[in-house]
Amino acid sequence: MSPSPALFSLRGVVKRYQRGDETVSIFEGLDMDIQDGDFLAMMGPSGSGKSTLLNLLGGIDRPDAGSILFRGQPLQALSEARMSGWRAANAAFVFQHFNLLPMLSVARNVELPLMLTTLPGAKRRQRVGAALELVGLSAQATRLPSQLSGGQQQRVAIARAIVADTVMILCDEPTGNLDRQTSDEVLNILSLLNRELGKTIVMVTHDARAAAVAARCLRLDKGRFLPAHAAGPVHGTADEPVPA
Ligand code: ADP
Ligand code: MG
């Protein structure tokens, strides 16, 4: 029996943006592997390509060259329609600013990823209930996001990220807007999802405490991964732009 392929294998990934007449190069041949069940932290200075990489992994952006294999299958072969199907099954995002819809209740926000599925209403409500219970917010289901603390709002976003039972959760600075205590609550939940449910988690962070929760940490700098032995406080935890 041949060993099963990695969840992700990136080979020679090239990503460039056009800014006016200028081509901005983000990645020129990036390689990486992510295994099923991994909990990976990604650190690096602002502009080093962390969010771009999350978007590539989540199938909301495509590389200009190179390949992204998902369980051995090249994502670039998928049409837009198939890609959105792939995304629905595999990728959920958690952002720094929670990105909840302010006029919808907590339960409705969590239900959103299920609205495009054929799941009947009763089944949807059951899933929403389970997701809210997992993040400890069952009692807040009928509230509006604005009635919750920042930490609670991020837990709603995590409930939304798990409700469709995707393979992975991609987090872009999930504790960037939270104080220490509420960060810990959010990190504990992410840990639990990884440990107990086997979710693969990729978490961009500038918070060394958050990175310490992950199983491993990669550092991006100018579109490249720094060698593991350079992982120390070389670049500190600085993700903020250097003051002019
Ligand atoms: P990070 O998340 O590490 O701060 P990003 O991946 O957001 O970095 O961005 C990397 C670089 O790519 C930055 O210089 C940013 O300005 C540029 N960039 C990101 N998205 C776009 C886009 N859609 N168009 C043009 N440039 C972009
Ligand atoms: Mg970013």
Side-chain angles (χ1 to χ4, degrees):
M1 227 172 71
S2 60
S4 50
L7 186 68
F8 273 109
S9 295
L10 277 63
R11 293 293 177 265
V13 165
V14 172
K15 183 69 195 171
R16 304 179 182 121
Y17 289 114
Q18 204 61 37
R19 206 180 284 153
D21 297 341
E22 196 192 351
T23 301
V24 184
S25 166
I26 312 299
F27 303 122
E28 292 293 337
L30 190 73
D31 299 326
M32 85 184 292
D33 289 295
I34 300 176
Q35 304 301 330
D36 242 312
D38 207 348
F39 188 166
L40 169 63
M42 269 197 307
M43 304 186 86
S46 189
S48 55
K50 304 181 299 296
S51 297
T52 300
L53 184 51
L54 279 193
N55 291 342
L56 291 170
L57 293 175
I60 54 182
D61 203 353
R62 293 173 184 259
D64 296 302
S67 68
I68 299 181
L69 301 179
F70 182 79
R71 301 196 202 281
Q73 302 298 316
L75 284 187
Q76 64 264 28
L78 300 182
S79 65
E80 277 311 313
R82 281 180 172 267
M83 186 69 115
S84 54
W86 176 87
R87 247 190 333 261
N90 293 297
F93 281 84
V94 173
F95 301 98
Q96 178 175 2
H97 298 288
F98 322 138
N99 296 16
L100 302 174
L101 294 184
M103 65 296 227
L104 294 185
S105 69
V106 162
R108 286 287 180 194
N109 266 284
V110 173
E111 194 180 355
L112 279 176
L114 302 179
M115 300 306 266
L116 299 171
T117 67
T118 55
L119 273 189
K123 200 92 190 145
R124 288 211 299 259
R125 282 188 292 279
Q126 191 188 341
R127 290 264 207 109
V128 169
L132 282 174
E133 191 172 333
L134 215 147
V135 300
L137 289 176
S138 302
Q140 279 74 28
T142 58
R143 301 227 175 157
L144 291 174
S146 59
Q147 296 173 301
L148 305 185
S149 70
Q152 288 175 323
Q153 289 185 52
Q154 194 59 301
R155 280 149 61 195
V156 175
I158 293 173
R160 182 183 55 190
I162 58 180
V163 77
D165 199 23
T166 58
V167 170
M168 53 180 176
I169 304 179
L170 304 169
C171 309
D172 205 344
E173 309 205 16
T175 62
N177 242 19
L178 303 177
D179 63 32
R180 201 180 166 109
Q181 193 191 330
T182 47
S183 291
D184 285 347
E185 290 169 18
V186 162
L187 292 169
N188 285 338
I189 292 170
L190 291 176
S191 264
L192 178 98
L193 295 175
N194 175 252
R195 231 177 27 244
E196 307 287 326
L197 301 183
K199 295 282 173 206
T200 302
I201 299 180
V202 182
M203 175 175 66
V204 166
T205 187
H206 60 268
D207 176 357
R209 282 162 49 78
V213 172
R216 63 192 183 112
C217 180
L218 294 177
R219 283 167 189 269
L220 259 184
D221 195 14
K222 300 188 182 76
R224 292 175 174 278
F225 289 118
L226 296 180
H229 64 261
V234 185
H235 289 262
T237 56
D239 191 54
E240 268 66 62
V242 180

Short mmCIF file of all heavy atoms in Angstrom, two decimals, residues 17-19 24 26 44-53 172-173 204 220 239, ligand 1:
data_model
loop_
_atom_site.label_atom_id
_atom_site.label_comp_id
_atom_site.label_asym_id
_atom_site.label_seq_id
_atom_site.Cartn_x
_atom_site.Cartn_y
_atom_site.Cartn_z
N TYR A 17 1.09 40.04 -7.94
CA TYR A 17 -0.01 40.98 -8.09
C TYR A 17 0.40 42.09 -9.04
O TYR A 17 1.55 42.49 -9.07
CB TYR A 17 -0.39 41.61 -6.75
CG TYR A 17 -1.08 40.68 -5.79
CD1 TYR A 17 -0.46 40.30 -4.61
CD2 TYR A 17 -2.34 40.18 -6.07
CE1 TYR A 17 -1.09 39.45 -3.71
CE2 TYR A 17 -2.98 39.32 -5.18
CZ TYR A 17 -2.35 38.97 -4.01
OH TYR A 17 -2.97 38.13 -3.13
N GLN A 18 -0.58 42.56 -9.76
CA GLN A 18 -0.35 43.70 -10.63
C GLN A 18 -0.78 44.96 -9.89
O GLN A 18 -1.89 45.05 -9.39
CB GLN A 18 -1.19 43.52 -11.91
CG GLN A 18 -0.67 44.25 -13.11
CD GLN A 18 0.74 43.79 -13.51
OE1 GLN A 18 1.06 42.62 -13.40
NE2 GLN A 18 1.57 44.74 -13.95
N ARG A 19 0.12 45.92 -9.73
CA ARG A 19 -0.25 47.18 -9.09
C ARG A 19 0.10 48.28 -10.06
O ARG A 19 1.25 48.69 -10.18
CB ARG A 19 0.53 47.32 -7.77
CG ARG A 19 -0.15 48.19 -6.74
CD ARG A 19 0.67 48.28 -5.47
NE ARG A 19 0.61 47.09 -4.64
CZ ARG A 19 1.58 46.72 -3.79
NH1 ARG A 19 2.67 47.42 -3.69
NH2 ARG A 19 1.44 45.63 -3.07
N VAL A 24 4.05 43.04 -8.61
CA VAL A 24 4.59 42.78 -7.27
C VAL A 24 4.64 41.28 -7.06
O VAL A 24 3.65 40.58 -7.22
CB VAL A 24 3.69 43.41 -6.19
CG1 VAL A 24 4.28 43.23 -4.81
CG2 VAL A 24 3.45 44.88 -6.50
N ILE A 26 4.95 38.07 -4.88
CA ILE A 26 4.74 37.62 -3.49
C ILE A 26 5.49 36.30 -3.26
O ILE A 26 6.26 36.18 -2.31
CB ILE A 26 3.24 37.42 -3.17
CG1 ILE A 26 2.42 38.62 -3.63
CG2 ILE A 26 3.03 37.15 -1.69
CD1 ILE A 26 2.79 39.93 -2.99
N GLY A 44 5.29 36.14 10.60
CA GLY A 44 6.10 36.87 9.63
C GLY A 44 5.66 38.31 9.57
O GLY A 44 4.52 38.62 9.92
N PRO A 45 6.55 39.16 9.11
CA PRO A 45 6.23 40.58 9.07
C PRO A 45 5.06 40.89 8.14
O PRO A 45 4.72 40.08 7.26
CB PRO A 45 7.51 41.24 8.54
CG PRO A 45 8.48 40.17 8.29
CD PRO A 45 7.89 38.84 8.63
N SER A 46 4.46 42.02 8.37
CA SER A 46 3.38 42.50 7.53
C SER A 46 3.84 42.54 6.08
O SER A 46 4.95 43.00 5.80
CB SER A 46 2.99 43.89 8.03
OG SER A 46 1.83 44.30 7.39
N GLY A 47 3.02 42.06 5.17
CA GLY A 47 3.36 42.09 3.76
C GLY A 47 4.17 40.90 3.29
O GLY A 47 4.54 40.82 2.12
N SER A 48 4.43 39.93 4.18
CA SER A 48 5.28 38.79 3.78
C SER A 48 4.50 37.72 3.02
O SER A 48 5.07 36.75 2.54
CB SER A 48 5.98 38.18 5.00
OG SER A 48 5.06 37.82 5.99
N GLY A 49 3.18 37.89 2.91
CA GLY A 49 2.40 36.96 2.08
C GLY A 49 1.55 35.97 2.87
O GLY A 49 1.01 35.03 2.29
N LYS A 50 1.39 36.21 4.16
CA LYS A 50 0.67 35.25 4.99
C LYS A 50 -0.81 35.11 4.56
O LYS A 50 -1.31 34.00 4.40
CB LYS A 50 0.74 35.66 6.47
CG LYS A 50 2.17 35.83 6.98
CD LYS A 50 2.21 36.21 8.46
CE LYS A 50 1.53 37.52 8.80
NZ LYS A 50 2.18 38.71 8.18
N SER A 51 -1.47 36.24 4.40
CA SER A 51 -2.89 36.18 4.02
C SER A 51 -3.04 35.63 2.61
O SER A 51 -3.98 34.88 2.32
CB SER A 51 -3.54 37.56 4.13
OG SER A 51 -3.52 38.01 5.47
N THR A 52 -2.11 36.01 1.74
CA THR A 52 -2.13 35.48 0.37
C THR A 52 -2.04 33.95 0.40
O THR A 52 -2.78 33.26 -0.32
CB THR A 52 -0.95 36.06 -0.43
OG1 THR A 52 -1.09 37.48 -0.46
CG2 THR A 52 -0.91 35.52 -1.86
N LEU A 53 -1.17 33.42 1.24
CA LEU A 53 -1.02 31.97 1.34
C LEU A 53 -2.29 31.32 1.87
O LEU A 53 -2.74 30.29 1.34
CB LEU A 53 0.20 31.64 2.22
CG LEU A 53 0.57 30.18 2.36
CD1 LEU A 53 0.69 29.48 1.01
CD2 LEU A 53 1.88 30.04 3.13
N ASP A 172 -6.90 33.86 10.20
CA ASP A 172 -6.01 34.99 9.91
C ASP A 172 -5.99 35.93 11.11
O ASP A 172 -6.90 36.72 11.30
CB ASP A 172 -6.48 35.72 8.65
CG ASP A 172 -5.33 36.47 7.98
OD1 ASP A 172 -4.28 36.67 8.63
OD2 ASP A 172 -5.49 36.85 6.80
N GLU A 173 -4.98 35.80 11.94
CA GLU A 173 -4.82 36.60 13.16
C GLU A 173 -6.07 36.54 14.04
O GLU A 173 -6.66 37.59 14.36
CB GLU A 173 -4.44 38.04 12.81
CG GLU A 173 -3.26 38.05 11.86
CD GLU A 173 -2.46 39.34 11.92
OE1 GLU A 173 -2.62 40.10 12.88
OE2 GLU A 173 -1.66 39.56 11.00
N VAL A 204 -2.49 32.09 10.95
CA VAL A 204 -1.57 33.22 10.85
C VAL A 204 -1.66 34.01 12.14
O VAL A 204 -2.77 34.29 12.62
CB VAL A 204 -1.96 34.12 9.66
CG1 VAL A 204 -1.25 35.46 9.73
CG2 VAL A 204 -1.66 33.40 8.35
N LEU A 220 7.39 33.17 7.64
CA LEU A 220 7.50 33.68 6.27
C LEU A 220 8.24 35.01 6.32
O LEU A 220 8.01 35.82 7.21
CB LEU A 220 6.11 33.95 5.71
CG LEU A 220 5.46 32.97 4.76
CD1 LEU A 220 4.13 33.55 4.28
CD2 LEU A 220 6.32 32.60 3.57
N ASP A 239 4.60 42.06 13.66
CA ASP A 239 3.87 41.94 12.42
C ASP A 239 3.40 43.34 12.03
O ASP A 239 2.89 43.55 10.96
CB ASP A 239 2.66 41.01 12.60
CG ASP A 239 2.04 40.66 11.27
OD1 ASP A 239 2.78 40.18 10.40
OD2 ASP A 239 0.83 40.89 11.09
P1 ADP B 1 0.52 39.61 5.06
O1 ADP B 1 -0.78 38.94 5.31
O2 ADP B 1 1.71 38.77 5.40
O3 ADP B 1 0.60 40.95 5.72
P2 ADP B 1 -0.44 39.76 2.33
O4 ADP B 1 -0.48 38.37 1.86
O5 ADP B 1 -1.70 40.40 2.72
O6 ADP B 1 0.66 39.89 3.51
O7 ADP B 1 0.20 40.69 1.21
C1 ADP B 1 1.47 40.46 0.66
C2 ADP B 1 1.75 41.56 -0.32
O8 ADP B 1 0.86 41.47 -1.42
C3 ADP B 1 1.58 42.96 0.25
O9 ADP B 1 2.60 43.76 -0.27
C4 ADP B 1 0.23 43.38 -0.27
O10 ADP B 1 0.18 44.77 -0.42
C5 ADP B 1 0.17 42.69 -1.62
N1 ADP B 1 -1.22 42.33 -2.00
C6 ADP B 1 -2.04 41.51 -1.30
N2 ADP B 1 -3.22 41.37 -1.95
C7 ADP B 1 -3.13 42.13 -3.07
C8 ADP B 1 -4.03 42.42 -4.16
N3 ADP B 1 -5.24 41.87 -4.23
N4 ADP B 1 -3.57 43.25 -5.13
C9 ADP B 1 -2.34 43.81 -5.08
N5 ADP B 1 -1.46 43.56 -4.10
C10 ADP B 1 -1.84 42.75 -3.10
#
